[in-house]
Structures are given as C-alpha cells and as structure tokens.
Amino acid sequence: MGIQFPEQYGGAGMSAIDYCICIEELARVDPAVALSVAAHNGLCAAHIYLFGNDEQRRQYLVPLARGEKIGAWGLTEPTSGSDAAAMRTTAVKSGDGWVLNGSKTFTTHGSVGDLFVIMAVTAGRPASPSSARAGRSKSVSAFIVEKGTPGLSAGRKEDKLGMRASDTSEVLLDNCHVPCDQLLGKEGHAFKDTMQVLDAGRIGIAALAVGLAQGAYETAVRYARQREAFGRPIGQFQAIQWKLADNATRIEAARLLTYRAAYLKDRSERTTLESAMAKLYASEIAVKAADDCVQIHGGYGFVKDYPAEKFFRDVKLTTIGEGTSEIQRLVIARQLLAR
Ligand code: CAA
C-alpha cells in the first residue's frame, strides 16, 4: 500500500515502473483490487507525499504507506467531474482552522476510508467572466480530514456496473472543522497540485488497463485452446487468431506507452502528455480486449461462469476514472499546441 514511497515514510521505496507492474498484476486477476490500491497509492497518499510537509508525511503518510489506514481523495462533485475547477465545496477560515461544507461524489473508499484529502474553494471566485477561468484554479486548497471528524460522513454507496469490490461513495461535509495544520500544500495552490497528482495517477490507471487487458486476453487464449467447434479448437480458426494477434499487439503497445511515462516520472520529468497518452490508449484498447474476450467465449462470455463477463463490466471504468478519454484528448491536444 506504499509501493512508491520512501522507506522512511513506511513505503517500499520502489520505482514508478515497479508500481505499474504491481498494479498490472493485480488487475490481471481482479481489476477492482487494483483500483483500490491505485486510488490509495496514486491519489490520497501521493498527494500527501508530494505536497505535504515533513510533519504531515510522518503523521498521515506513514500509516497509509504501511497499509494501516485506507486513503480516499475527494475532487469530483455531483456537478463537477471533467470540469474539476468548477467545484462548489467551500472551506472558510474560522478561528484556529477551516470549516468545510459541501459534498464529493464517486470517491474511491468514500465509506471505508480512514484519511481523506478533500479539495475545496477557499477564496472568492472572481465576478468577471473574463478573469473567472484563471481565478477558479487559484482559489482551490486541499485539506487532510480524518475519519471521525465531526461533520464528515459517508453518503450513498454507489451500485456500480463493475469494479464492485472497490468502494465508491459520496462524502458529505457539514460544518466540518479542520485544524490549520491539516491544510495540505499552499493555500490556493491545490488545483495545480491536483493536476500533478493526476499526471502520476493516470500512469497507474494506464497500468491497470494494461493488466486488465492482459487478463482478458489470457482468458480468451485459454478458451480458444480448449473450446472445440466444427471438429477442432476454435483457436485454429483465423477469425479467432486475428482477434488474439491484434489484442496481443495492442496490449504490448499500451504497456510500452505506460512504462515510458513511468520511466520519465522516475527521472522526475513532467509527464502530462505521456501520462494522458498512456491512459487514453491503454483504456481504449482494454475495452476492445474485454469485448473480444466475451465474443470469443460466445454465450459463455455472457454469463458469470467465466471471468470474461467480469472483465467486460470492470473495464469501462478505465475510460472514465481519473479523467475520461475525452479529457485525455483535451490534455494531449493542449500539450501539443502549446509547443
Ligand atoms: N501540471 C501542472 N499545472 C497544470 C497542469 C498540470 N498537469 N494542468 C493544468 N495546470 C495549470 C495550468 O497551467 C493553469 O495554470 P495558470 O492558471 O497559472 O495558467 C491552471 O492549472 C489551470 O489549468 P487549465 O486552464 O488547463 O484548467 P481547466 O479548468 O481548463 O481544466 C482539465 C483542465 C485538464 C480539464 C482538468 O480540469 C482535468 O484534468 N479534469 C479532469 C479531472 C479528473 O481527472 N477527475 C477524475 C478524478 S478521480 C476521482 O475524483 C474519483 C476517485 O476517487 C478515483
């Protein structure tokens, strides 16, 4: 649960590429477990590691990295998903701390988390529409909120299509008082910090998609060897062979894009472009791999006796979570045009 964090903070001190391999291997068997590990490591714990001070790292990161506490990260709200800066949750200074009000949605570990990183608006939004866009992103701050803090509660637990072993819930903040020393990073700087957390987090989701695609592909290969039709294993028919060949090729390409982004991260380079490319491509080809896996299984792909049906349901999250495919394309295009 602390794969990439230094040992001094309770982590395993492994590289970004090691991290990808861990997430891949989990996703190959159960994508929902991989998702929980990725959200814990790549969002909540990473935000504290990247932008917390030493005291915050010791107090909050160490138990997360040791797996003693489960982390959650609250950015998305009911009316702000892709347009993350349009959040409405507020934090107002009061005495020796801040008072948070609002709600977060689609939060991984929202009902089971021990530690929450919550993004909230801490400054008035500019009235003029022309300065509104710039002002929005400079008015967001992040806070560490511990389970049990009065005013913090879990809302509805989502009844999801897939990834059902990983908790996704609303988080409600009702006059939730947080001490000053739980402000994470600089006041008004959390939007940019969040974008950097997501740059790294998206490599983890790319790895998850690669692992899921690999699991679906291997399931399809096993079935193609064993299932017979017209007197021979279906793997001997070109219709099946081409599906397997295309998937194996696409998975390898997605893996290399993902490792490239991880390699650049290990060199402390900015990976906005490479992370978005890896996440976009890996998630889109994973959807195809899971679809082909069901198709190769025929009727058995449509029932719960084989893992094909579960891969098919789980995979859709990868083109949505930590930024939709549409947002990845937007990020990629902005990076290309800014050159
Ligand atoms: N690194 C550093 N700074 C960055 C950055 C990055 N990757 N991306 C943007 N910024 C900076 C910009 O340079 C800009 O700074 P200045 O104001 O100083 O110029 C500022 O941040 C604002 O950037 P934009 O103008 O690009 O902001 P925008 O409002 O147009 O939004 C966006 C950009 C890419 C669309 C962003 O909102 C986004 O990524 N949206 C998707 C959010 C997302 O992935 N949500 C899923 C979260 S997962 C979750 O919540 C559930 C869970 O538990 C898993």
Side-chain angles (χ1 to χ4, degrees), residues 35 39 43 72-76 81-85 105-109 133-134 136-138 191-193 195-196 198-199 202 270 272 320-324 327-328 330-331 334-335:
L35 178 65
L43 298 177
W73 192 73
L75 175 67
T76 302
S82 290
D83 187 7
T105 197
F106 300 135
T107 308
T108 305
H109 305 147
R133 281 187 58 78
R136 289 187 329 165
S137 65
K138 292 180 178 58
F191 186 77
K192 286 187 187 179
D193 296 351
M195 291 297 111
Q196 288 182 49
L198 285 169
D199 281 349
R202 287 170 183 161
R270 182 170 175 174
T272 306
I320 298 170
E322 294 202 32
T324 60
I327 288 297
Q328 305 314 316
L330 176 152
V331 169
R334 283 186 183 175
Q335 289 293 308

Side-chain angles (χ1 to χ4, degrees), residues 78-121:
T79 55
S80 62
S82 290
D83 187 7
M87 70 182 70
R88 293 180 183 173
T89 294
T90 56
V92 176
K93 252 188 190 146
S94 158
D96 61 342
W98 297 82
V99 176
L100 275 63
N101 276 292
S103 67
K104 297 289 171 180
T105 197
F106 300 135
T107 308
T108 305
H109 305 147
S111 75
V112 299
D114 302 295
L115 273 180
F116 296 75
V117 170
I118 300 285
M119 268 52 75
V121 177

